[in-house]
Amino acid sequence: MALIMHKECSSKQMDASKYVRYTPEQVEALERVYNECPKPSSLRRQQLIRECPILCNIEPKQIKVWFQNRRCREKQRKEAFRLQTVNRKLTAMNKLLMEENDRLQKQVSQLVYENGHMRHQLHSASTVTTDNSCESVVMSGQHQQQHNPTPQHPEKDASSPAGLLTIAAEALTQFLAKATGTAVDWVQMIGMKPGPDSIGIVAVSRNCNGVAARVCGLVSLEPMKVAEILKDRPSWFRDCRCLEVLSVIPTGNGGTIELVYMQTYAPTTLAAARDFWTLRYTTTLEDGSLVICERSLTTITGGPSGPSSSNFVRAEVLPSGYLIRPCDGGGAIIHIVDHVDLDAWSVPEVLRPLYESSKILAQKMTVAALRHIRQIAQETSGEIQYGGSRQPAVLRTFSQKLCRGFNDAVSGFVDDGWSVLSSDGVEDVTIAVNSSPNKFLGSQYNASMFPNFGRGVLCAKASMLLQNVPPAVLVRFLREHRSEWADHGIDAYSAASLKTSPYAIPCVRPGGFPSSHVILPLAHTVEQEEFLEVVRLEGHAFSPEDIPMAHDMYLLQLCSGVDENAVGACAQLVFAPIDESFADDAPLLPSGFRVIQLDPKTDGPGPTRTLDLASTLEVGSSGARPTCEADASTYNLRSVLTIAFQFVFENHLRDTVAIMARQYVRSVVGSVQRVAMAIAPSRLSGHLGPKSLSGSPEALTLARWICRSYRICTGAELLSGDTQAGDAALKQFWHHSDAIMCCSVNTNAASPVFTFANQAGLDMLETTLVALQDIMLEKVLDEGGRKVLSSEFSKIMQQGIAYLPAGVCVSSMGRPVAYEQAVAWKVLNDDDSHHCLAFMFMNWSFV
């Protein structure tokens, strides 16, 4: 019997493993099912055999094996395609790096030659007479002129097609010398490492006329598509207000010459905007590369005169453009060069670094162009998948509308209908109004916001200089801690502007409303340097007049530049109220903040807005000046902050809304200044940590009290035995893995308030040392935690310590945090008097 069973089993294994040769008809039937369902169930396979007679002679197990093999082949095909794509990228990047290496070698050779020539001149000047020395200087000037020759134009009408073609040819030659040659002394930006997935090779100019930036990179789009995107500058250059092609002239070589007029927005409220009148030349080189080069038409170059506007300062585009080279197997290598002279001398001296910074030009224009192309390329190839039903183009439109609306508010052009109201005697806040219905109907505003043209838009804006505040840090704080600066009543008024008639105008309340907000991600760019998100503001009614603000409100928000290691130093937070429907054509009235870093100055001490840790602890008084403050004064990091808030008003309430807006912006400015003072010292040393804490004797004292009290209550050491004193103990306390925080117990207060926390405690509460002081203990603990603490409070005060069970608390951002155990103990000072309570949350994590 056993022998018979063994034979049957062997027979079944042979049947299951035997090779089946499928006919073309059978393969076609199976492929149809595979396209519908790559992994059919057993029932679906049996149904397939019944419905397809041509498969009736094939066993279900063989059908299952066929689908397994088919999925495996599909996976292998996709992996092979991915590897081929990576190989093409690496090959193209290797070619690009070799060319860059050749260019750098040429630059080195040129510098060596110029260095030797200069040495020879200096030696000659020291050995010859004064007259010969002067002649040497003259010869040096002649050499410099030879190195940067002034273009000489033939004697012909520069406004004629032939004259314009001559200007275009010169611009092409000079642009190529910058893109692939050594016409500009390029310096690669720190942190920009080339690779198949990087943005590319980014470099900025050094010691050249104007400011220039250059980027080289790979994209998986065809050259013609790339050229089409780059020419559509308003779609990717956020500072572009408008671009008009006033004339198109075909050339004999198949190219085109275009006369282009472009207006750009001003970065702040303190300087005029710029406009450009340029010649743009598109042609194809002998190697098949596509070139789009551009330069300004001036009295020196010749050519027709362009439009002019009293609201703009004419800036100059020096030979710039795009070199687009096709790659083997598809895609393109792009060289982008932007070289401009923004007439920095026409702005106040404090703002000149904005117009003299090649890094800012690189971030806002050069790198932005390549990022936009890579974004579209990855969206086209399906590499980026967004949740929801909105298409990527719609999400990009929202981002553009937010930026454009904010830029319109900051610049406030007269031809858009803006007019400035008289001030209240203090020039810190500018109030502008716009009641032009024609402009509203043709801009980013929606006609439904102005049904009877009896309403308008009011903008309150201000600019200020910040000291020692990195833009990324400040904008990230404003984004994550909205309650620190925003007034819930003002948010409710802005949300009501989406309706036909808003309710009564609120007065600005210094503390605002204790509201919370939840950030809902919507989309982000490839390198996550920009986020589009929806913010839900949870409404609360604390009195009958606050009932209209009791419902939740929504903001569409755009945040960019919050990566401290990113190229450039410009960060922005722009938001606009939306309703629950959030239609694609939703009206947007953006407000927000823009922070641009000025070039750091190291020429001596300057005023700093700092707040050392000692002032946040309230442990004692000490007149000692922290060492970190002295170090900070030697590095004077400056940023310019621009704030603009827009409100809809009814004509008969214009003055009332203006008063409210002016007060609100002043309140926001004050809040931002307090935040700037708080975060300034913490980032000068990289991170808020032992380096900045070491100069604070109060921090050392408090850490010693906490550890000593813990040892008295438990008999165990909070820190390791080797570091029980000095900066080493404070450093270990600061980096302790468990969240440790202190709160002062005041019998007159409704709830204990946090006064200090280590790094893990700040991370758990998602806050900063200064904002920590506004967080009450009862707001952090959930209902169960509050009950346990209430029952154990007397035990803590009598015995000095209590152990709390596992539970859940809430961060300042509203996120739940789970912990396995918590310890609460009484902290005693050197006189053994009660100073505060300490809490330690063990093994915590976000839920």
Side-chain angles (χ1 to χ4, degrees):
M1 178 66 72
L3 182 61
I4 295 174
M5 292 180 62
H6 177 72
K7 289 182 178 180
E8 290 179 353
C9 183
S10 300
S11 176
K12 289 181 179 179
Q13 290 177 356
M14 292 176 62
D15 291 341
S17 60
K18 66 182 181 180
Y19 178 77
V20 177
R21 185 179 296 277
Y22 296 93
T23 65
E25 292 77 11
Q26 291 173 331
V27 172
E28 183 180 355
L30 292 171
E31 287 286 351
R32 283 198 302 268
V33 177
Y34 179 84
N35 292 331
E36 297 174 0
C37 179
K39 194 174 183 179
S41 63
S42 176
L43 293 177
R44 181 69 181 91
R45 293 195 299 269
Q46 293 176 5
Q47 180 185 1
L48 172 62
I49 295 175
R50 291 194 302 268
E51 293 176 353
C52 298
I54 58 176
L55 300 176
C56 62
N57 62 333
I58 302 177
E59 296 182 3
K61 289 185 178 180
Q62 294 297 336
I63 297 291
K64 180 180 180 180
V65 170
W66 185 93
F67 277 98
Q68 290 176 344
N69 294 337
R70 181 65 178 81
R71 290 195 298 271
C72 184
R73 291 196 302 272
E74 181 68 19
K75 183 178 180 180
Q76 291 176 344
R77 186 188 65 80
K78 290 181 178 179
E79 179 65 13
F81 178 78
R82 187 189 68 82
L83 292 176
Q84 290 174 358
T85 302
V86 172
N87 182 62
R88 286 197 300 268
K89 286 184 177 180
L90 291 173
T91 301
M93 180 58 71
N94 181 61
K95 179 181 178 182
L96 189 61
L97 290 175
M98 291 177 63
E99 293 174 350
E100 182 69 7
N101 185 56
D102 291 341
R103 189 193 66 80
L104 290 174
Q105 289 180 351
K106 293 178 182 178
Q107 186 174 358
V108 169
S109 300
Q110 180 176 322
L111 291 174
V112 169
Y113 170 77
E114 292 180 353
N115 184 51
H117 183 75
M118 184 62 67
R119 286 178 179 272
H120 176 71
Q121 284 187 319
L122 292 174
H123 178 73
S124 301
S126 63
T127 57
V128 298
T129 62
T130 305
D131 292 339
N132 291 338
S133 177
C134 294
E135 183 180 355
S136 176
V137 174
V138 173
M139 293 299 295
S140 175
Q142 291 176 354
H143 171 76
Q144 185 67 22
Q145 290 179 0
Q146 291 173 2
H147 183 64
N148 295 301
T150 301
Q152 300 295 327
H153 302 290
E155 295 295 333
K156 63 174 64 177
D157 183 10
S159 300
S160 66
L164 293 176
L165 184 58
T166 302
I167 299 175
E170 291 177 350
L172 174 62
T173 302
Q174 295 178 38
F175 159 67
L176 292 177
K178 297 174 184 178
T180 61
T182 60
V184 172
D185 185 8
W186 296 115
V187 179
Q188 185 170 336
M189 294 192 66
I190 298 176
M192 302 305 299
K193 298 180 179 179
D197 297 321
S198 70
I199 186 64
I201 304 173
V202 182
V204 293
S205 62
R206 181 176 59 185
N207 300 329
C208 77
N209 183 26
V211 291
R214 170 180 173 268
V215 63
C216 312
L218 309 174
V219 293
S220 55
L221 287 178
E222 295 304 316
M224 292 302 297
K225 180 63 176 177
V226 173
E228 178 185 342
I229 295 172
L230 290 173
K231 280 192 171 184
D232 185 16
R233 192 170 290 160
S235 68
W236 54 265
F237 183 31
R238 296 289 173 79
D239 286 351
C240 180
R241 184 195 182 206
C242 66
L243 186 146
E244 293 183 76
V245 180
L246 301 183
S247 179
V248 179
I249 303 171
T251 61
N253 56 5
T256 57
I257 292 176
E258 300 167 292
L259 301 183
V260 180
Y261 177 65
M262 182 178 71
Q263 294 178 348
T264 60
Y265 293 104
T268 72
T269 62
L270 304 175
R274 265 51 181 168
D275 65 351
F276 301 86
W277 171 240
T278 62
L279 177 148
R280 187 166 67 187
Y281 180 40
T282 305
T283 187
T284 303
L285 302 181
E286 294 181 357
D287 62 356
S289 300
L290 188 61
V291 178
I292 306 170
C293 62
E294 188 171 11
R295 74 161 304 159
S296 285
L297 294 177
T298 65
T299 54
I300 298 177
T301 63
S305 300
S308 61
S309 175
S310 59
N311 297 324
F312 295 85
V313 173
R314 180 58 52 86
E316 182 179 359
V317 175
L318 302 170
S320 308
Y322 318 106
L323 172 61
I324 310 167
R325 302 158 56 190
C327 289
D328 296 336
I333 298 177
I334 309 176
H335 297 253
I336 301 177
V337 173
D338 290 308
H339 192 177
V340 296
D341 183 353
L342 298 174
D343 192 13
W345 293 101
S346 64
V347 300
E349 183 177 0
V350 70
L351 294 179
R352 286 177 191 169
L354 291 180
Y355 299 83
E356 297 173 338
S357 171
S358 297
K359 292 182 179 180
I360 294 178
L361 177 69
Q363 180 192 22
K364 302 183 76 173
M365 193 170 184
T366 316
V367 176
L370 186 56
R371 278 180 173 156
H372 182 73
I373 296 172
R374 295 185 69 221
Q375 182 80 20
I376 293 179
Q378 295 196 20
E379 291 173 4
T380 304
S381 63
E383 296 180 45
I384 300 178
Q385 298 292 335
Y386 294 131
S389 58
R390 300 189 189 274
Q391 296 296 320
V394 175
L395 298 176
R396 281 199 304 273
T397 300
F398 280 130
S399 300
Q400 292 167 2
K401 289 170 67 176
L402 284 172
C403 284
R404 184 173 182 83
F406 182 70
N407 282 327
D408 279 335
V410 171
S411 296
F413 294 117
V414 175
D415 57 353
D416 276 343
W418 290 99
S419 59
V420 178
L421 297 182
S422 58
S423 68
D424 60 351
V426 183
E427 301 293 340
D428 57 337
V429 179
T430 300
I431 301 293
V433 296
N434 196 330
S435 301
S436 172
N438 293 332
K439 192 61 185 176
F440 291 142
L441 295 176
S443 68
Q444 79 278 1
Y445 302 107
N446 189 291
S448 63
M449 299 173 65
F450 311 94
N452 300 316
F453 305 123
R455 303 167 71 188
V457 172
L458 181 144
C459 177
K461 51 191 176 181
S463 292
M464 57 187 291
L465 191 68
L466 299 177
Q467 302 281 359
N468 298 333
V469 182
V473 178
L474 178 58
V475 168
R476 188 164 60 242
F477 185 93
L478 295 174
R479 171 179 176 263
E480 296 175 356
H481 301 275
R482 185 179 179 85
S483 60
E484 294 291 328
W485 56 268
D487 188 303
H488 193 74
I490 302 298
D491 288 334
Y493 175 82
S494 298
S497 66
L498 301 175
K499 302 176 177 60
T500 55
S501 58
Y503 54 88
I505 300 170
C507 60
V508 179
R509 312 186 188 196
F513 289 90
S515 63
S516 59
H517 72 286
V518 179
I519 297 176
L520 309 173
L522 196 60
H524 60 79
T525 51
V526 175
E527 299 179 2
Q528 300 194 9
E529 77 282 350
E530 185 176 273
F531 300 88
L532 184 67
E533 51 202 13
V534 173
V535 181
R536 187 178 77 236
L537 305 177
E538 298 178 355
H540 304 279
F542 300 93
S543 60
E545 60 269 19
D546 297 334
I547 292 178
M549 293 174 280
H551 63 282
D552 290 351
M553 295 168 290
Y554 298 88
L555 302 174
L556 182 64
Q557 182 168 273
L558 183 70
C559 182
S560 61
V562 293
D563 183 2
E564 296 178 63
N565 300 318
V567 179
C570 176
Q572 188 168 271
L573 183 69
V574 180
F575 46 86
I578 56 175
D579 58 19
E580 295 84 349
S581 63
F582 189 25
D584 291 350
D585 59 347
L588 298 179
L589 197 63
S591 303
F593 307 86
R594 175 185 294 147
V595 191
I596 308 177
Q597 181 177 312
L598 304 175
D599 285 343
K601 302 296 182 183
T602 57
D603 51 357
T608 58
R609 295 192 178 102
T610 60
L611 184 65
D612 59 273
L613 180 61
S615 63
T616 70
L617 297 179
E618 300 180 356
V619 179
S621 59
S622 175
R625 183 170 179 253
T627 57
C628 60
E629 183 178 340
D631 296 337
S633 65
T634 61
Y635 183 82
N636 189 11
L637 177 69
R638 302 180 303 164
S639 301
V640 58
L641 167 67
T642 300
I643 303 174
F645 282 83
Q646 297 191 81
F647 306 93
V648 173
F649 66 89
E650 296 180 359
N651 286 340
H652 65 286
L653 295 175
R654 189 191 72 176
D655 294 340
T656 306
V657 175
I659 295 174
M660 178 270 294
R662 183 178 278 112
Q663 292 177 348
Y664 182 53
V665 169
R666 286 172 178 164
S667 172
V668 172
V669 167
S671 299
V672 172
Q673 286 177 329
R674 288 193 295 272
V675 170
M677 291 174 64
I679 66 179
S682 64
R683 295 293 173 170
L684 287 175
S685 58
H687 297 282
L688 181 57
K691 184 175 180 181
S692 58
L693 292 173
S694 61
S696 173
E698 288 83 359
L700 291 168
T701 302
L702 183 59
R704 181 169 56 83
W705 289 350
I706 293 172
C707 296
R708 172 175 169 270
S709 300
Y710 184 83
R711 183 173 61 253
I712 294 174
C713 294
T714 65
E717 296 291 348
L718 182 62
L719 307 177
S720 63
D722 296 335
T723 55
Q724 291 298 312
D727 288 352
L730 179 59
K731 180 178 180 180
Q732 188 177 7
F733 175 83
W734 179 257
H735 292 294
H736 198 286
S737 58
D738 294 325
I740 304 174
M741 52 197 74
C742 302
C743 63
S744 61
V745 180
N746 188 344
T747 56
N748 297 326
S751 174
V753 177
F754 289 108
T755 57
F756 179 64
N758 68 346
Q759 183 63 66
L762 297 178
D763 292 341
M764 189 186 83
L765 296 180
E766 296 186 290
T767 186
T768 62
L769 272 176
V770 175
L772 178 72
Q773 299 176 78
D774 297 328
I775 301 177
M776 294 184 292
L777 179 62
E778 67 175 13
K779 296 295 183 180
V780 172
L781 299 175
D782 62 357
E783 184 177 356
R786 289 194 295 269
K787 290 181 179 179
V788 172
L789 180 62
S790 177
S791 63
E792 297 287 337
F793 186 77
S794 59
K795 179 180 178 180
I796 298 173
M797 301 307 294
Q798 294 174 5
Q799 302 181 13
I801 192 170
Y803 294 90
L804 310 180
V808 177
C809 59
V810 182
S811 75
S812 63
M813 298 294 292
R815 288 208 290 173
V817 183
Y819 55 91
E820 293 184 2
Q821 188 184 36
V823 183
W825 69 95
K826 185 167 59 173
V827 177
L828 304 178
N829 59 20
D830 290 332
D831 298 329
D832 289 334
S833 301
H834 174 233
H835 176 72
C836 64
L837 288 181
F839 291 86
M840 180 166 63
F841 296 89
M842 303 179 181
N843 298 328
W844 63 272
S845 61
F846 290 107
V847 179

